[in-house]
Amino acid sequence: MLNQLRAQCVSKGPAMLRFPLRLTPFTVKKVVLQQLLNWQFRHAVEEGELDFLTGRWLGVEITDLALNWAVSLDDEGRLQVALREQADVWFRGNANDLVLVAARKVDPDTLFFQRRLVIEGDTELGLEVKNLMDAIDLDAMPGPLRIGLLQLADFVEAGLNEDAISQGNRAGESC
């Protein structure tokens, strides 16, 4: 029973979150995203690992949440978030897949070749971003962020697996 509930939360959760996210003003989302990104990537910024983003925009779209933003590095070495239609490169995927990628539960190349992760635009910039993401050490991530991400990824992974098992158990049953 709990496993089925988890599977339903994972499959229907993004649709349920879409409405409150749509009502949340972008200025609120921007503040939260900028704080999280600058917190997570403070060492990478200090070491110049994100200099390739100066004056360039990385767009992120979470398709099933109807949520998107763009990130750039300003001249003062801070990550800035903006609502932009144009970006140098776009990363697009659904919420569950992106959580699993961030927690290293799924390889982004696998999702890319399955067309579940879409990278459009400047391929060189996209490759630099992907390589940076691959190089992130989860243990170096701030504790609360790492723990939350890993717990969410475990929940999503178990929910997706339960959903697949449930679907398979229904073979031969009438509709």
Side-chain angles (χ1 to χ4, degrees), residues 141-156:
M141 188 178 278
L145 188 58
R146 180 183 67 248
I147 291 166
L149 174 64
L150 293 175
Q151 287 179 343
L152 179 59
D154 287 343
F155 184 84
V156 167

Side-chain angles (χ1 to χ4, degrees), residues 11-33:
S11 67
K12 295 185 178 12
M16 294 183 331
L17 289 173
R18 191 177 314 133
F19 182 70
L21 284 171
R22 187 177 300 143
L23 293 178
T24 305
F26 182 75
T27 53
V28 172
K29 293 183 256 190
K30 176 181 175 175
V31 168
V32 171
L33 284 168

Side-chain angles (χ1 to χ4, degrees), residues 127-148:
L127 187 57
E128 287 183 81
V129 171
K130 183 196 162 300
N131 289 340
L132 176 70
M133 297 304 291
D134 287 341
I136 291 174
D137 180 13
L138 289 179
D139 292 332
M141 188 178 278
L145 188 58
R146 180 183 67 248
I147 291 166

Side-chain angles (χ1 to χ4, degrees), residues 35-159:
Q35 287 179 347
L36 280 173
L37 291 171
N38 281 298
W39 187 30
Q40 166 58 37
F41 293 106
R42 68 185 177 280
H43 295 297
V45 168
E46 289 168 3
E47 294 174 9
E49 294 175 15
L50 293 177
D51 287 352
F52 66 88
L53 269 180
T54 303
R56 300 170 84 189
W57 290 92
L58 160 66
V60 177
E61 181 178 356
I62 305 174
T63 54
D64 54 349
L65 293 179
L67 184 63
N68 66 70
W69 66 88
V71 179
S72 183
L73 188 68
D74 68 16
D75 293 333
E76 297 172 15
R78 288 187 314 248
L79 290 168
Q80 296 297 314
V81 173
L83 187 59
R84 296 174 56 100
E85 290 185 29
Q86 300 293 320
D88 295 292
V89 65
W90 281 95
F91 279 68
R92 293 183 170 97
N94 72 43
N96 291 332
D97 287 340
L98 293 174
V99 165
L100 294 175
V101 166
R104 299 277 181 359
K105 300 274 185 182
V106 176
D107 179 45
D109 291 331
T110 300
L111 295 180
F112 177 77
F113 288 115
Q114 292 174 350
R115 300 191 192 285
R116 292 168 48 193
L117 175 64
V118 177
I119 303 171
E120 296 176 332
D122 183 336
T123 54
E124 183 180 331
L125 178 59
L127 187 57
E128 287 183 81
V129 171
K130 183 196 162 300
N131 289 340
L132 176 70
M133 297 304 291
D134 287 341
I136 291 174
D137 180 13
L138 289 179
D139 292 332
M141 188 178 278
L145 188 58
R146 180 183 67 248
I147 291 166
L149 174 64
L150 293 175
Q151 287 179 343
L152 179 59
D154 287 343
F155 184 84
V156 167
E157 186 176 45

